[in-house]
């Protein structure tokens, strides 16, 4: 049976699944899990970031995608920069 692959591409075998189930049945050390945790996305500022939604007409969306590709940054980064510049100018 195919259980998928690990990050490195090697298949997960039935023996691997059994070993993981055995480990889960023994229970996990919460402190060890917290030590292994790598966090999430890096913070953008001094506090947790919020997600906002905006509606864009097709022409503006296309221009946004082109700009992000030209600057080799994410669409979100272009939006953050544009809002920052707008607010500093006002």
């Amino acid at each position: 049976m195919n259980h998928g692959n690990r990050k490195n591409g090697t298949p997960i075998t039935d023996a691997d699944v059994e070993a993981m189930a055995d480990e889960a049945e023994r229970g996990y050390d919460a402190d060890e899990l917290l030590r292994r945790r790598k966090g999430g996305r890096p913070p953008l500022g001094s506090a947790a970031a919020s997600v906002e939604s905006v509606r864009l007409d097709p022409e503006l969306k296309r221009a946004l995608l082109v700009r992000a590709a030209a600057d080799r940054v994410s669409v979100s980064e272009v939006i953050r920069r544009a809002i920052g510049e707008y607010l500093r100018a006002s």
Side-chain angles (χ1 to χ4, degrees):
M1 177 175 223
N2 182 0
H3 300 289
N5 296 318
R6 292 183 176 84
K7 288 182 185 179
N8 66 7
T10 60
I12 298 171
T13 66
D14 288 336
D16 295 327
V17 172
E18 285 296 321
M20 288 184 262
D22 291 342
E23 180 185 10
E25 287 171 356
R26 285 190 304 273
Y28 296 105
D29 178 2
D31 291 331
E32 174 62 23
L33 292 174
L34 290 173
R35 279 192 295 278
R36 282 196 254 166
R37 187 172 175 206
K38 296 194 179 188
R41 293 181 176 165
L44 294 172
S46 60
S50 66
V51 176
E52 306 300 330
S53 296
V54 297
R55 293 177 58 170
L56 304 174
D57 62 67
E59 293 79 20
L60 186 56
K61 173 70 177 201
R62 192 172 310 108
L64 178 59
L65 292 170
V66 168
R67 180 61 184 261
D71 291 354
R72 295 184 180 196
V73 297
S74 68
V75 168
S76 295
E77 181 61 21
V78 173
I79 293 169
R80 281 190 292 272
R81 289 176 183 177
I83 292 171
E85 289 180 24
Y86 174 80
L87 294 173
R88 281 189 295 278
S90 59

